[in-house]
Amino acid sequence: MRNALFYGSGVALVTPFSGDKVDFRAFEALIHWQIDMLTDAIVILGTTGEPCTIAPSERAALIECAVSTVAGRVPLIVGAGANDTRAAVAHAQQAQALGADGLLVVTPYYNKASRAGLLAHYGAIADSVDIPIIAYNVPSRTGMNLPPETVAELLKHPMIRGVKEASGDIRQMQRLAALCPGAALYAGNDDQAYAMMALGGRGVISVVANVLPTAVHEMTASYLRGDIDLSREMQFALLDIADALFCEVNPIPVKAALAMMGRIDEELRLPLTPLEGKKRAALHKALAAWDLAEG
């Protein structure tokens, strides 16, 4: 069995903006708060962090800020995916050089890839670094699926340690667990964290943890320590807020939620735009149920 990068709840952290610039003060505060609230790993520049809108200079500064703020207290995992293998290699090498503990690498999007292309793409990235990689499967965003059979091949590389599985397909999750015993498997959808752990997964890379870090940590920790009944009840309790946080394209709702909590400005970069109308009201109601919304 390979060592996992982390066990439990890894937060897929937002990138706060203010005046179209990265709000580093808010970013640092979010990281400190997450660690204080028991989050088990910090994941930056993943889908929730709007990486496609981040300039190269901002990317380096965000990684440096996260490394210094986390200060080794929990693992720091940096998104390094791209639809150009050369760019992904450069992202991966930069993250390692700046002090990341691990990498989250999404499948190539738009270009997509054949099975051979996927193996070559991930192999090139893994060969270029000495820190572990979590492959990231999110076909609803990328337009392609990472089949369990291909994952099993990828995991033969010593630097590829696991998968963030966000296909939403429970049959695929079962096949993945069956073909990849001992791999670090993480739910990529908050509403399937319990199911993934029941299949042998290590936890979740969570959007909900942006607003409820302690609850998501305890939901995963309770399962991992053997209290599966408590974990199941907490998964059920988190379903409504998970639904609210995915009522629109991620990270639109979670940024609205954090703004309602007074933690960031509600600012996104185009083509993302702020949450509107009935969805905003439903999100506020879901936050209020957890005593999270200000005003």
Side-chain angles (χ1 to χ4, degrees):
M1 182 177 293
R2 301 187 189 188
N3 291 332
L5 275 77
F6 71 94
Y7 290 79
S9 172
V11 61
L13 199 66
V14 301
T15 302
F17 302 121
S18 184
D20 200 36
K21 295 181 179 179
V22 175
D23 186 342
F24 285 100
R25 181 175 296 181
F27 187 60
E28 290 175 359
L30 288 174
I31 292 172
H32 284 306
W33 178 60
Q34 285 288 329
I35 296 173
D36 289 346
M37 295 295 104
L38 303 179
T39 286
D40 301 291
I42 303 294
V43 183
I44 67 166
L45 295 170
T47 304
T48 311
E50 299 173 76
C52 294
T53 70
I54 301 297
S57 60
E58 293 175 322
R59 180 180 180 85
L62 279 162
I63 298 170
E64 289 174 336
C65 180
V67 168
S68 64
T69 306
V70 172
R73 292 177 288 171
V74 298
L76 172 65
I77 300 165
V78 176
N83 64 343
D84 169 8
T85 303
R86 293 172 299 177
V89 166
H91 289 337
Q93 291 177 331
Q94 177 193 51
Q96 175 175 295
L98 294 175
D101 298 303
L103 304 168
L104 180 70
V105 179
V106 74
T107 54
Y109 43 88
Y110 190 72
N111 289 345
K112 306 171 80 170
S114 64
R115 179 178 181 276
L118 284 170
L119 295 174
H121 175 77
Y122 278 101
I125 300 165
D127 286 344
S128 76
V129 294
D130 298 313
I131 55 176
I133 292 170
I134 298 172
Y136 177 17
N137 185 39
V138 58
S140 66
R141 304 289 294 235
T142 63
M144 72 169 303
N145 187 41
L146 183 59
E149 293 78 9
T150 304
V151 173
E153 287 296 310
L154 293 178
L155 289 169
K156 292 178 181 178
H157 195 292
M159 299 318 301
I160 301 177
R161 299 288 177 81
V163 182
K164 176 184 177 183
E165 173 55 44
S167 68
D169 184 341
I170 190 67
R171 292 182 66 185
Q172 176 156 313
M173 290 165 60
Q174 292 180 39
R175 184 71 174 162
L176 183 66
L179 290 177
C180 305
L185 306 181
Y186 299 98
N189 295 328
D190 278 280
D191 60 356
Q192 294 180 328
Y194 178 89
M196 179 60 86
M197 290 187 292
L199 292 169
R202 305 294 200 271
V204 62
I205 297 178
S206 170
V207 173
V208 173
N210 277 277
V211 300
L212 284 168
T214 305
V216 179
H217 161 80
E218 184 55 29
M219 185 265 291
T220 56
S222 59
Y223 191 96
L224 294 170
R225 67 174 179 257
D227 193 345
I228 61 174
D229 291 337
L230 174 60
S231 180
R232 183 175 58 250
E233 290 306 311
M234 294 191 71
Q235 174 76 93
F236 293 160
L238 290 165
L239 290 177
D240 286 347
I241 197 160
D243 287 346
L245 289 172
F246 285 92
C247 68
E248 187 54 270
V249 174
N250 181 43
I252 290 173
V254 71
K255 279 198 153 180
L258 286 166
M260 291 175 189
M261 295 166 65
R263 294 197 172 273
I264 65 169
D265 291 344
E266 189 179 350
E267 187 170 325
L268 304 116
R269 286 181 172 169
L270 290 170
L272 300 183
T273 55
L275 194 64
E276 297 179 344
K278 293 182 179 179
K279 292 178 180 179
R280 177 174 290 276
L283 175 61
H284 191 277
K285 181 179 180 182
L287 292 173
W290 288 84
D291 296 321
L292 294 174
E294 291 186 346

